[in-house]
Amino acid sequence: MSKSVEAPAQRGLPGRKAQAARNDELILAAARDVFLAEPKAPISAVAERAGVGISALYRRYPSKEDLLRTLCYDGLHRYNAEAEAALEDSNGWQGLVGFLERVVDADVHSLTTHLAGTFTPDDSILPAVMRAGELNEELVRRARESGRLRKEITTADLGLILESCAAITLPDPHRAAQLRRRVLALLLDGLTGSGDLPGPPPAPNEFAHRWQPGNR
């Protein structure tokens, strides 16, 4: 059996808090697996997969909506963290490429494609949403200034690219990750192409309707 690795968030915590942190990580990992496979699965399936009692789960997440909301919000925070890291690259094009590769590898957008409309977003996410928009604008601006990114590309196109990669699912997660990277490489070639693109880019908030509960 492989030795478990203590997460950074657990280090230095007293016993009960460390256990709570471990349980939370187990619950979120299990919730991701369960709800990406079946968004309508009961919350008891998450507790079973995580190996924790249902009471321990409910102490942390009083409802399935709370758990779904946390999953998606964590995904957005991961997205923003990767975008922040990309802006540290002095090469605007390489920064954008590295960002897209890391987000695809983290499979952030599977949360969007599978869980949009399964819970009610609240105002707590607005600062992160606005920050994501700012980061996207800066990434695209710098990539365009590098001379590599075609002028027709907008920030909304990034979402289409990432969701296209997330749509690739297979029973073998390693193979799915390989194919996502393959498709991303093809799409990246398209970002440096020339010629007119058919149709206008996505309009601002064109896909926002899917986050309304019941629009699945």
Side-chain angles (χ1 to χ4, degrees), residues 121-190:
D122 60 29
D123 290 343
S124 68
I125 196 60
L126 291 179
V129 170
M130 294 181 67
R131 182 57 178 157
E134 294 169 354
L135 292 167
N136 285 340
E137 290 285 353
E138 184 64 9
L139 285 169
V140 168
R141 183 190 69 77
R142 294 171 77 247
R144 189 176 290 121
E145 286 184 352
S146 74
R148 299 290 304 278
L149 184 68
R150 61 192 304 164
K151 65 181 185 301
E152 299 94 344
I153 299 301
T154 72
T155 57
D157 289 310
L158 300 184
L160 294 181
I161 290 170
L162 292 167
E163 290 190 29
S164 296
C165 294
I168 301 170
T169 59
L170 289 171
D172 180 354
H174 177 69
R175 181 60 179 148
Q178 285 182 327
L179 291 177
R180 286 171 180 166
R181 274 296 196 103
R182 180 182 176 87
V183 168
L184 178 60
L186 293 170
L187 294 172
L188 287 171
D189 279 349

Side-chain angles (χ1 to χ4, degrees), residues 80-96 98-99 102 131 135 138-139 141-142:
N80 285 353
E82 295 296 357
E84 296 273 9
L87 291 177
E88 295 178 5
D89 194 319
S90 60
N91 184 308
W93 171 250
Q94 291 301 324
L96 178 63
F99 163 72
R102 291 192 300 273
R131 182 57 178 157
L135 292 167
E138 184 64 9
L139 285 169
R141 183 190 69 77
R142 294 171 77 247

Side-chain angles (χ1 to χ4, degrees), residues 193-208:
S194 60
D196 295 333
L197 293 172
N205 297 321
E206 188 167 357
F207 293 98

Side-chain angles (χ1 to χ4, degrees), residues 43-64:
I43 199 168
S44 58
V46 176
E48 181 179 356
R49 188 176 185 91
V52 302
I54 191 69
S55 59
L57 190 154
Y58 275 120
R59 279 196 299 272
R60 181 66 181 87
Y61 302 100
S63 70
K64 180 178 175 180

